[in-house]
Every structure is written in C-alpha cells, then in structure tokens.
Amino acid sequence: MATTQQLVHPKDALFGGEKSFPIIPSCEHFAGSEKLILKALSMQDTNNPNAVGPVFDITCDCEDGAQAGQEREHAEMIVRLLTSEANKYKMAGARIHDYTNSYWKQDVDILVAGAGKVLSYITIPKCTTYAQASEMIAYIQKVATFNGVERLIPVHILMETHGALKAVHEIATLPWVQVLDFGLMDFVSGHHGAIPASAMRSPGQFDHRLLARAKAELVAAALANGVVPAHNVTLDLKNVETTRSDASRARNEFGFLRMWSIYPTQIEAIVDAMKPNFDEVQDGANILLAAQKADWGPIQYDGELHDRATYRYFWEILQKAKLTLVNIPDEAIKAFFS
C-alpha cells in the first residue's frame, strides 16, 4: 500500500500517456454583437451578483453576427474583447464563416493572430466533406505557426449537412478536433420538406427517425474518437423548463455532453440538466480516494468490485462536477484538485 508521499494522482495512474477525454463546460452560449458578448462575459464573473458563474463557454459569432461589409471590423472587435480584462476566465471561442464564404480565411487570420493565445476554440460551420474540414483545420494550424502560437487551438465542427453526416466518422479523427456540434435547423432544411418544421423543436427533434439516427451517429463517432458531442439549440427562448427537458433528453437518451444556448436564461437550465448526479459524485470521490490508497488496484466499495475501468469513469465524473460547481467532498478536493 502506498504511503502518503507516494500517492499517485488519477491523471497519472489511469491514462498511461494516452489522450484523455476533453473535460469542457457542458454549455456553449452564442453571442454575436459586442453588447451580447460583454453581457455573456459578465455572466461568467463570480463578482457579478447576477452571474451564473464560470460554468459555460461563450462562442463569439463571426458567421451570423457580422453585418455585411463589416466582417473585418467584427472579427477585430472579438479579438479586442477576448484580449481584454472582460475575458476574465478565458472561456470564449469564436465561430468563423463557412468554407464557401470568402471571409473564412480572413476570420482565421484576424482571430489567431490577435487572440490565438486565449481563444478557447474555433468553430467551423457547414462543412459538407472531410476534405473541407481538413483544409480549414490545416489553414488554422498554418496561421497559428506563422504567428508563433504554440498551443493547440481546439476546433469545433458544426455538422449540419448530409455530406458532413456521411463523413462524420472520418471528420472526428481530424487533428485538433475537440467537439462535433449538431446543427438541427440546417439539417432539417436540407431534407426538402421530408422532415416537418415541427421537428425543429421537441418532441419531434428527438422522436423523428431521421433526426434520431443522425444524432446517434454523430454521438457515436465523437465518443469513439475522444471528441465531445454537442447538441443543438432549443428554439423556445422563454420557457426554461423546455430547455432543461431538451438538455436532459439529449444527455440521457442520446449521450450528448454539451449543448448550445442562444438566450441567457437557457445557460443555467442546460448546466443543471447535464451536470453529474450528486450521489454519484459522492460515491465517485470515495471510490477514488480508496483506490488511490490501494495503488489503483481493485477494491471493494459498498459491496461492489471496482477497478481501473470504473476509476476512469469516476475521475471524469469528478472533473465534470468541479467544472459545474457540484459539491465534492473536501478530502477529494485536497487529494485531486489542490
């Protein structure tokens, strides 16, 4: 049995140098204008009494946020905000224009050169082929190298076309890919009326066979490649319970681990629905503490056998609990997060 000085941290004991699964916020809030981005940043700030807290990412939107003819100024505005004191927690990325739009390379040039060291991720929309996604990622890598950005900039790929779904398993293997996002509305539109408009909201978005198939395929491809699957928005902006229900179904029935928000009140509902179960967090903390003391060999807990497979599961649960502000026992905080 290990002594106190020899206790090994789970990240060192359980993964053996392999790529660990990304532990990122379960909510991604879209904001297009300077006013809305600043409001979202203030909602992350724990010093703000009306804040939700640093439990969500912000996606600053170049694609739909920029007015025609103002694309450069819009991207430069995002750089200014992300490199300012307002971006206190460095939990903000940006969505660029799509491959067919002439401004996508300009977006990358401005964002990576100006904010490459703090940019949480770059979201690529509307890819129709593996080749498009690969070319765009290669360009991001090239611009990062040219500007001396040594860190890997995570890439999120928005899957909203027939072509993207067909190539989803290949796209998920691309370098720097951290998230696959499902784009519901464009995907429904691409079916030429075969899927009714009612399926853009619940329950149709979960029950329609074509949409259920697409969502399940995306999640399977993402998880098989160590990538986070992210669910589409809830169109009902005012009813918090609708958002919470959608997030719960996405998480528990389809395996999505992240979801978009497009309205401030949706953020907390998504985080609440997707955060780890409190009892599971408590059990996980106790299991990991006992496993650590046993040099990560098999143990018994509450009459059940646990080994490295369950330890890996519970380590991810504890990391997600910390990110979503679920209470973790003090002993586990000291052992794993100090």
Side-chain angles (χ1 to χ4, degrees):
M1 182 175 294
T3 65
T4 302
Q5 289 74 25
Q6 297 171 323
L7 293 177
V8 180
H9 196 275
K11 67 178 171 43
D12 299 316
L14 301 178
F15 293 94
E18 68 182 85
K19 175 188 172 184
S20 58
F21 192 77
I23 304 297
I24 60 176
S26 58
C27 180
E28 174 179 346
H29 180 67
F30 273 73
S33 68
E34 180 171 0
K35 176 183 176 181
L36 293 177
I37 294 169
L38 285 171
K39 180 177 181 179
L41 289 168
S42 73
M43 291 180 68
Q44 290 178 331
D45 191 352
T46 53
N47 293 322
N48 180 346
N50 298 316
V52 177
V55 294
F56 66 98
D57 283 330
I58 301 165
T59 301
C60 306
D61 195 5
C62 288
E63 185 188 27
D64 292 334
Q67 295 181 354
Q70 297 294 311
E71 290 83 2
R72 172 176 291 278
E73 291 80 2
H74 192 83
E76 290 173 344
M77 175 273 292
I78 291 173
V79 168
R80 174 167 51 80
L81 295 185
L82 295 192
T83 55
S84 73
E85 293 182 357
N87 188 18
K88 182 176 179 180
Y89 295 98
K90 307 297 186 287
M91 295 170 64
R95 177 167 69 172
I96 62 175
H97 287 85
D98 73 271
Y99 183 84
T100 65
N101 190 297
S102 61
Y103 289 106
W104 77 264
K105 286 187 177 181
Q106 176 179 278
D107 290 341
V108 173
D109 292 342
I110 294 170
L111 292 168
V112 174
K117 295 181 179 179
V118 298
L119 198 62
S120 293
Y121 50 87
I122 292 176
T123 298
I124 297 173
K126 296 182 176 62
C127 285
T128 59
T129 65
Y130 170 90
Q132 286 183 1
S134 179
E135 180 182 339
M136 295 179 83
I137 291 173
Y139 188 76
I140 292 169
Q141 293 173 319
K142 176 184 175 181
V143 174
T145 299
F146 180 79
N147 286 281
V149 179
E150 297 179 357
R151 61 183 284 261
L152 179 157
I153 301 175
V155 172
H156 298 186
I157 300 185
L158 185 49
M159 314 292 289
E160 49 191 335
T161 67
H162 292 285
L165 182 63
K166 183 179 179 180
V168 65
H169 290 272
E170 290 74 32
I171 289 173
T173 68
L174 284 167
W176 290 22
V177 173
Q178 183 189 63
V179 170
L180 294 183
D181 297 296
F182 186 67
L184 175 68
M185 288 176 284
D186 278 289
F187 191 73
V188 170
S189 297
H191 281 75
H192 311 293
I195 301 176
S198 61
M200 291 186 183
R201 54 188 60 83
S202 295
Q205 67 161 318
F206 296 110
D207 295 341
H208 194 285
R209 298 283 182 92
L210 288 174
L211 295 179
R213 163 190 168 264
K215 291 184 179 186
E217 196 70 24
L218 181 149
V219 172
L223 296 178
N225 290 281
V227 172
V228 176
H231 194 261
N232 53 269
V233 300
T234 293
L235 294 183
D236 188 339
L237 302 182
K238 303 295 185 179
N239 191 329
V240 174
E241 289 307 313
T242 300
T243 303
R244 183 175 284 107
S245 175
D246 284 352
S248 180
R249 291 197 68 180
R251 173 68 183 86
N252 296 314
E253 296 180 30
F254 287 86
F256 284 96
L257 300 175
R258 182 173 167 102
M259 181 168 161
W260 296 2
S261 158
I262 52 173
Y263 198 72
T265 56
Q266 293 183 333
I267 296 171
E268 193 166 4
I270 292 168
V271 173
D272 284 345
M274 290 201 162
K275 68 185 179 184
N277 176 274
F278 176 81
D279 291 337
E280 196 168 78
V281 171
Q282 306 309 299
D283 285 339
N286 292 333
I287 288 167
L288 290 176
L289 288 167
Q292 187 183 52
K293 292 173 183 176
D295 288 332
W296 302 101
I299 64 165
Q300 280 193 47
Y301 176 79
D302 199 21
E304 295 181 341
L305 174 68
H306 291 275
D307 59 17
R308 295 174 70 87
T310 54
Y311 301 158
R312 287 158 71 110
Y313 173 84
F314 284 117
W315 173 232
E316 290 187 352
I317 290 294
L318 250 62
Q319 292 177 85
K320 293 172 185 175
K322 188 172 187 297
L323 198 60
T324 51
L325 306 183
V326 176
N327 185 54
I328 300 172
D330 289 341
E331 187 179 357
I333 290 287
K334 292 176 183 176
F336 306 132
F337 298 108
S338 295

